[in-house]
């Protein structure tokens, strides 16, 4: 779609073949829009270019921890197998490609020093602007997201390439690289950009938006179901993900597209130019239903070799390990001896920041408070806490607390409690208790998660018999820095760590 540095490109080609790289951060599962860059990589190879594919594992972690550190290696292996299978499915010879992992060189002394050198000349404004369309944007961005564009710029030097290829959504990172690499004494590179294929919902196809994408390993029935729901309004060629996929993937690969339809509607029609198909669709000569059915058939032909490759036990195991899903039993269903063990992970806990609106003594219990706590819902929750002997009433009023919200509501001396205020507790006697402190500036209702487990969905309600909270709580601790942790992983909100005032080495209950 766009080239930056075309004069330099032409000058290089007068002397030798171009060295180019394409990188992908190993985050969510690759989807069918990846065929767009894959088909262009096929073009580069046919043109004689030397092509390097970078599996940017460190970038995946830096981008708002989209890939937890313990899953990084598994996801990188998954990407490597999937990308190679995609290339094979469109007839690209792998022996002409070079495959590299980011952590193979990004943890070296030289690269790390260059990251520091770059951070000494890059402004916060430029770093944030560069990552605006690529790095996940949140209200209070992590420092890691600001480092991301700099690392991508440095990759050009450390991979010893003339050019970087990527989606047009990378343009701001590319111009950032052109501005800042020369400040370290490194050459400005050429940048080539492919168009972005709209997702099935009309916006950008995204790994994190399930309905917008078709995964490379989706079953045929899933492909049918997703295409059936896809945005494809009769006559509308704008933001039409189905048409865009034909334009940017199927036509470049096959040089034609066949619309399949019954004889009573005119029978099959072969298009050798995309513009003719788009014109017929705009004039409603081609029906959206026929277009979707035809894409389904063509797409499944591309996906079949990939599905077949991943049908072996080794890759099935890799897929489920790289992208684990907590197993949830159906209502009323009991586990069996042969059923898979339940995945007890912190993301199953619905922990939120709460603000204490009111505190009163329990009418029938001297050691209990009854609090009204705002957790970002329509009404505050009633919570009963055994804190009377540890925290004065005035210290609870109007303060922020950390509340476990998906315990089964339980009556405590006649008052139903709809949550649990999490507190640090001293190990020795006399017992001391301090409510956990969210970072300053948090709002009621903000999610609290454990580092590396921010992506999972919490259980709607924790079943008392399963003892999920109790199993996780056994590894809750307060660090020597007074930070709340699970297995030495910090409790976090988007603003930083959850802590307590003074109870180093304590437990959490």
């Amino acid at each position: 779609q766009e080239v930056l540095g075309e004069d330099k490109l032409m000058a290089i080609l007068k002397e030798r073949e171009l060295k180019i790289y394409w990188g992908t951060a190993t985050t969510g599962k690759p989807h069918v829009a990846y065929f767009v860059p894959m088909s262009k990589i096929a073009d580069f190879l046919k043109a004689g270019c030397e092509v390097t594919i970078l599996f940017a594992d460190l970038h995946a972690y830096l981008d708002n921890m989209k890939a937890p550190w313990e899953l990084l290696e598994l996801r990188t292996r998954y990407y490597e197998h999937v990308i190679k299978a995609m290339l094979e499915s469109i007839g690209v010879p792998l022996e002409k490609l070079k495959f590299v992992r980011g952590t193979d060189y990004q943890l070296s002394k030289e690269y790390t020093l260059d990251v520091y050198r770059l951070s000494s000349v890059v402004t916060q404004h430029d770093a944030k602007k560069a990552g605006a369309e690529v790095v996940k944007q949140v209200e209070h961005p992590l420092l890691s997201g600001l480092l991301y564009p700099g690392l991508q710029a440095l990759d050009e030097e450390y991979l010893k390439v003339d050019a970087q290829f990527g989606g047009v959504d990378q343009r701001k990172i590319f111009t950032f690289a052109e501005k800042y690499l020369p400040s370290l004494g490194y050459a400005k590179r050429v940048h080539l950009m492919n168009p972005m294929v709209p997702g099935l919902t009309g916006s950008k196809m995204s790994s994190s938006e399930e309905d917008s994408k078709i995964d490379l390993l989706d079953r045929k029935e899933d492909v049918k179901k997703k295409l059936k729901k896809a945005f494809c309004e009769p006559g509308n060629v704008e933001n039409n993900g189905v048409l865009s996929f034909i334009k940017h993937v199927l036509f470049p690969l096959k040089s034609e597209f066949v619309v399949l339809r019954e004889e009573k509607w005119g029978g099959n029609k072969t298009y050798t130019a995309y513009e003719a198909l788009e014109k017929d669709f705009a004039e409603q000569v081609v029906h959206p239903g026929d277009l979707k059915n035809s894409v389904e058939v063509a797409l499944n032909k591309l996906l079949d070799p990939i599905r077949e490759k991943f049908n072996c036990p080794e890759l099935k195991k890799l897929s489920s390990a790289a992208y684990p899903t907590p197993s949830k039993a159906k209502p009323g269903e009991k586990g069996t001896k042969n059923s898979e063990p339940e995945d007890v992970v912190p993301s199953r806990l619905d922990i939120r920041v709460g603000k204490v609106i009111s505190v009163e003594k329990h009418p029938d219990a001297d050691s209990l408070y009854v609090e009204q706590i705002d957790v970002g819902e329509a009404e505050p929750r009633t919570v009963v806490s055994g804190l009377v002997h540890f925290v004065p009433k005035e210290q609870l009023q109007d303060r922020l607390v950390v509340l476990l919200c998906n315990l089964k509501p339980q009556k405590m001396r006649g008052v139903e409690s709809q949550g649990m205020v999490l507190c640090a507790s001293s190990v020795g006697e006399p017992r001391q208790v301090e409510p956990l402190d969210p970072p300053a500036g948090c709002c009621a209702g903000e999610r609290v998660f454990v580092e590396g487990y921010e992506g999972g969905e919490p259980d709607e309600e924790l079943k008392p018999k399963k003892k999920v909270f109790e199993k996780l709580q056994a590894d809750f601790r307060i660090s020597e820095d007074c930070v709340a942790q699970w297995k030495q992983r910090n409790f976090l909100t988007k603003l930083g760590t959850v802590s307590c005032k003074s109870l180093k080495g304590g437990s959490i209950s």
Side-chain angles (χ1 to χ4, degrees):
Q1 179 170 321
E2 187 178 1
V3 179
L4 300 176
E6 194 165 350
D7 291 345
K8 185 172 185 178
L9 172 69
M10 301 311 290
I12 292 167
L13 288 173
K14 284 177 182 175
E15 297 179 8
R16 57 175 172 81
E17 301 296 0
L18 192 74
K19 295 177 182 178
I20 188 167
Y21 102 86
W22 174 80
T24 179
T26 53
T27 52
K29 288 183 177 180
H31 44 71
V32 294
Y34 277 63
F35 275 115
V36 177
M38 293 303 108
S39 63
K40 186 50 64 177
I41 285 169
D43 288 345
F44 291 145
L45 290 172
K46 286 173 193 166
C49 298
E50 290 181 31
V51 182
T52 297
I53 290 183
L54 171 68
F55 297 111
D57 46 0
L58 196 56
H59 290 72
Y61 180 70
L62 290 174
D63 187 0
N64 216 47
M65 297 183 292
K66 282 184 184 174
W69 193 259
E70 70 278 5
L71 295 179
L72 217 53
E73 165 65 18
L74 292 166
R75 290 196 179 172
T76 305
R77 280 167 48 204
Y78 177 89
Y79 261 69
E80 194 165 340
H81 284 292
V82 162
I83 297 294
K84 287 179 178 178
M86 286 183 81
L87 290 164
E88 286 172 334
S89 83
I90 60 174
V92 176
L94 298 186
E95 60 273 12
K96 290 189 176 181
L97 288 163
K98 182 180 177 184
F99 295 92
V100 179
R101 294 184 183 204
T103 47
D104 288 345
Y105 64 90
Q106 289 166 346
L107 301 177
S108 69
K109 179 182 175 181
E110 295 77 14
Y111 188 93
T112 304
L113 183 57
D114 272 345
V115 172
Y116 288 136
R117 288 174 64 206
L118 198 59
S119 68
S120 71
V121 294
V122 173
T123 65
Q124 180 191 7
H125 170 269
D126 283 3
K128 189 175 181 181
K129 181 183 173 185
E133 291 187 49
V134 177
V135 180
K136 185 178 179 182
Q137 298 300 299
V138 293
E139 187 180 350
H140 300 282
L142 297 173
L143 179 60
S144 58
L146 298 177
L147 290 173
Y148 188 111
L151 268 69
Q152 188 167 334
L154 286 172
D155 289 339
E156 297 179 347
E157 175 65 26
Y158 279 78
L159 292 171
K160 301 300 177 190
V161 295
D162 308 305
Q164 183 179 174
F165 166 56
V168 74
D169 63 334
Q170 307 262 337
R171 193 183 196 281
K172 289 176 182 174
I173 288 184
F174 291 166
T175 54
F176 170 93
E178 291 185 10
K179 177 180 179 180
Y180 282 107
L181 274 189
S183 69
L184 299 189
Y186 297 143
K188 187 189 293 188
R189 265 62 180 194
V190 178
H191 294 102
L192 305 101
M193 287 160 270
N194 64 256
M196 302 305 294
V197 175
L200 301 179
T201 53
S203 57
K204 174 183 167 183
M205 196 174 287
S206 165
S207 295
S208 57
E209 190 185 341
E210 189 58 38
D211 282 343
S212 82
K213 67 190 176 83
I214 292 173
D215 279 338
L216 298 170
L217 298 180
D218 272 350
R219 299 170 305 164
K220 290 187 176 182
E221 50 266 43
D222 294 327
V223 172
K224 181 184 283 292
K225 188 163 64 175
K226 287 181 178 180
L227 280 170
K228 196 172 182 180
K229 289 165 61 179
F231 175 78
C232 191
E233 189 177 44
N236 187 348
V237 298
E238 298 297 321
N239 293 324
N240 187 323
V242 181
L243 268 180
S244 292
F245 189 75
I246 297 170
K247 179 180 181 179
H248 297 299
V249 177
L250 298 178
F251 259 105
L253 290 175
K254 302 292 182 185
S255 301
E256 65 175 32
F257 182 74
V258 181
V259 173
L260 306 169
R261 56 190 175 191
E262 296 179 31
E263 287 298 328
K264 64 180 178 181
W265 304 119
N268 296 351
K269 183 170 181 180
T270 300
Y271 290 88
T272 54
Y274 170 75
E275 291 72 21
L277 171 62
E278 187 180 272
K279 182 173 180 288
D280 277 1
F281 186 81
E283 294 173 359
Q284 300 191 33
V285 174
V286 175
H287 188 272
D290 293 330
L291 194 72
K292 289 180 179 183
N293 291 338
S294 307
V295 169
E296 181 189 338
V297 171
L299 182 54
N300 278 321
K301 283 180 183 175
L302 286 177
L303 297 182
D304 277 341
I306 304 172
R307 293 184 188 117
E308 190 176 340
K309 184 171 182 178
F310 271 77
N311 206 25
C312 69
E314 181 190 352
L315 292 184
K316 278 183 178 177
K317 186 178 178 183
L318 173 63
S319 182
S320 59
Y323 297 93
T325 50
S327 56
K328 294 182 182 177
K330 292 175 185 174
E333 183 178 76
K334 292 184 178 178
T336 65
K337 287 184 181 177
N338 296 324
S339 63
E340 297 225 352
E342 197 167 33
D343 202 5
V344 180
V345 290
S347 53
R348 294 182 62 182
L349 304 179
D350 181 4
I351 306 176
R352 296 183 231 166
V353 174
K355 182 172 183 181
V356 180
I357 296 171
S358 69
V359 193
E360 300 295 339
K361 280 269 196 81
H362 193 297
D364 298 318
D366 292 340
S367 63
L368 302 178
Y369 284 130
V370 178
E371 302 122 2
Q372 296 297 312
I373 301 180
D374 176 9
V375 287
E377 297 169 335
E379 298 291 334
R381 292 193 179 207
T382 300
V383 177
V384 180
S385 305
L387 295 174
V388 170
H389 300 314
F390 303 102
V391 185
K393 179 179 168 182
E394 57 273 15
Q395 286 185 18
L396 276 179
Q397 180 67 45
D398 296 325
R399 70 162 284 161
L400 294 179
V401 293
V402 175
L403 195 73
L404 178 61
C405 294
N406 59 342
L407 287 174
K408 185 176 181 180
Q410 184 179 354
K411 283 202 172 181
M412 299 178 72
R413 295 286 185 92
V415 178
E416 185 175 81
S417 182
Q418 299 167 321
M420 177 194 292
V421 176
L422 295 181
C423 299
S425 182
S426 62
V427 177
E429 295 294 335
R431 188 178 177 220
Q432 294 175 275
V433 175
E434 296 173 358
L436 294 183
D437 291 313
C442 282
C443 299
E446 276 187 41
R447 180 91 189 271
V448 177
F449 55 88
V450 170
E451 185 178 4
Y453 290 88
E454 71 281 9
E457 281 296 313
D459 290 13
E460 194 169 325
E461 183 179 280
L462 298 171
K463 306 300 180 194
K465 288 184 180 178
K466 298 277 187 181
K467 298 196 178 298
V468 172
F469 173 68
E470 290 80 359
K471 290 173 184 174
L472 292 165
Q473 186 193 12
D475 294 301
F476 285 180
R477 290 286 181 277
I478 301 296
S479 75
E480 290 304 305
D481 299 324
C482 288
V483 174
Q485 296 183 328
W486 174 80
K487 291 188 175 180
Q488 298 183 316
R489 293 172 177 274
N490 295 343
F491 280 60
L492 300 167
T493 73
K494 62 186 180 184
L495 291 182
T497 55
V498 173
S499 60
C500 71
K501 288 193 169 48
S502 65
L503 301 181
K504 299 177 182 179
S507 60
I508 299 173
S509 58

